[in-house]
Amino acid sequence: MRQDRLRLGAFFYATGHHVAGWRHPSSEADGGLALARTIGWAQRAEAAKFDLVFLEDGTGIRDANLRSSERTARSTHFEPVTLLSALAAVTSRIGLVATTSTSFNEPYNVARRFASLDHLSGGRAGWNLVTSATDLEAANFGHDGIALHADRYERAEEFVDVVLGLWNTWDDDAVIIDRESGQFSKPDGFRPLNHRGKHFTVRGPLNISRTPQGQPVIVQAGSSGPGKDLAARTAEIVFTANQTLAEAVEFYGDLKERMGRFGRAPDDLKVMPGLFPVVGRSEAEARAKFAELQELIDPVVGLALLERMIGGFDLSGYDLDGPVPPLPEANGAKSRQQLMVDLARREGLTLRQLYLRIAGARGHSQIVGTPAQIADEMEARFRAHGADGFNIMPPTLPGGLDDFIALVLPELRKRNLVRLDYEGRTLRAHLGSRPPALRRP
């Protein structure tokens, strides 16, 4: 039996994870642009001893259908590293993870940004490394469309190598600040990187010293073959979506096995799939809460969400009460498109039923039930080696987060599955990961 404990992330989607959550009275609908709201959510999660706050991001509006975007209220939110820098000042223990894409950024800027966040927070920063997956984002950077999937991952592989190299251009003890000798840092305590590759030429060194954690924690969210290889080589947390226990166990085993190819131990990486919980004191109460949210879904919004999840293909010409049509292979999020297709085929869902099915979890695991039922599912995946923890996706904020903390966490504590208090002060300490060794360029 496993002796370790579940890791928990609080995944903040500004208006709640349910696509209509912002319309529900338990939601602070202005949370995307109200710092005080987000501070409150983060402090709740820290008081509950979550390992980390997780923020997603994209560099464009979420839907090509502008009418849909206007109706979802999801296209306006803070840039995540900026927001986490503010949260670093009003929290003291909880990890702070932000999403930043390798597709439309430069390694030096990203390395500096997250090193700064790690210093500001005293060692609590994490970078969720993704590749951009929509043409809408590409159009904001002078491109007609995103690069091919394989090309995006090739760039990402070199990108992360440059970032890691820059974080290692400073020794742990390079900064000495010796007033008497007049020496601020050791002459040989930092060095250039001198990287020359296919995509990047970067001299270095980074203009901020080695961070409290040695380097920020790397998080990865890809579940395709190239995504899993990248995670197995570089990541300490993987955020993924699995529908069934069998799928979760297969993904977990595959990813941990791949790590050996890169000289890494399985415990160096924590698999934390998304979990969308709707909790009630009785099963009937939970189902009533979920039904209330489902009734708020605008069909225009539901269909637009599904189009985004299956790779941006236009479904407006198809019968909503007919089957999911054959789809060309996506160039965007390949693994998510396949998950949608598999879900529809397995459960015999129409287009309408499919968008209703993913309106909250967007393909992640969804549990509607009592605290014991939700804890049962979490424990089953953990014990079967299908997860090391979960990224909790509250249907609404703060209502859904408060429900999980008040109802599910006591059940998990009773089972000795989660911590009672923080054991360390850094994100890597929360994860129980080994600190990275300094690797001189």
Side-chain angles (χ1 to χ4, degrees), residues 34-207:
L35 177 59
R37 305 284 200 199
T38 314
I39 288 173
W41 307 339
Q43 290 176 336
R44 283 172 166 90
E46 184 170 68
K49 314 306 178 188
F50 276 69
D51 291 83
L52 58 94
V53 166
F54 181 95
L55 301 180
E56 60 82 47
D57 193 38
T59 51
I61 61 169
R62 302 188 189 282
D63 300 302
N65 184 331
L66 294 180
R67 180 168 176 264
S68 168
S69 292
E70 290 167 359
R71 298 166 82 89
T72 62
R74 289 184 173 221
S75 290
T76 174
H77 57 92
F78 291 119
E79 189 281 318
V81 180
T82 306
L83 176 56
L84 291 183
S85 297
L87 295 184
V90 293
T91 58
S92 62
R93 294 293 189 90
I94 197 164
L96 304 170
V97 177
T99 300
T100 298
S101 172
T102 61
S103 299
F104 303 115
N105 282 286
E106 290 293 322
Y108 196 96
N109 301 91
V110 169
R112 186 186 188 203
R113 200 175 300 152
F114 281 94
S116 297
L117 180 61
D118 207 45
H119 277 287
L120 285 170
S121 63
R124 295 183 284 136
W127 168 33
N128 180 39
L129 183 168
V130 301
T131 67
S132 296
T134 71
D135 292 341
L136 290 173
E137 292 178 89
N140 292 330
F141 296 90
H143 303 282
D144 294 331
I146 56 170
L148 294 175
H149 186 272
D151 294 340
R152 296 201 308 275
Y153 271 95
E154 179 185 77
R155 175 185 167 97
E157 291 274 3
E158 186 180 342
F159 194 111
V160 71
D161 285 342
V162 176
V163 170
L164 288 169
L166 287 166
W167 285 338
N168 281 273
T169 52
W170 286 77
D171 291 343
D172 291 317
D173 60 351
V175 178
I176 56 175
I177 313 181
D178 187 337
R179 291 183 174 86
E180 186 173 338
S181 69
Q183 193 173 62
F184 190 90
S185 59
K186 293 182 178 179
D188 61 348
F190 59 100
R191 65 208 65 84
L193 177 64
N194 291 328
H195 173 89
R196 288 187 176 274
K198 178 177 179 180
H199 298 279
F200 306 106
T201 299
V202 181
R203 181 186 182 276
L206 197 62
N207 61 346

Side-chain angles (χ1 to χ4, degrees), residues 361-373:
R362 301 187 306 284
H364 293 277
S365 180
Q366 174 176 292
I367 311 176
V368 180
T370 65
Q373 288 172 325

Side-chain angles (χ1 to χ4, degrees), residues 222-223 228 238-253 255 271-276 335-336 339 343 346 357 361-367 377 381 385-390 393:
S223 296
K228 286 190 281 191
V238 164
F239 177 47
T240 186
N242 305 123
Q243 282 290 309
T244 68
L245 176 60
E247 289 174 353
V249 171
E250 180 182 6
F251 177 88
Y252 185 100
L255 187 57
V271 177
M272 296 177 62
L275 175 65
F276 176 89
S335 59
R336 191 54 55 90
L339 188 151
L343 175 61
R346 184 170 60 246
R357 181 76 165 74
R362 301 187 306 284
H364 293 277
S365 180
Q366 174 176 292
I367 311 176
E377 180 69 20
R381 292 207 179 190
H385 296 278
D388 296 306
F390 295 89
M393 303 165 60

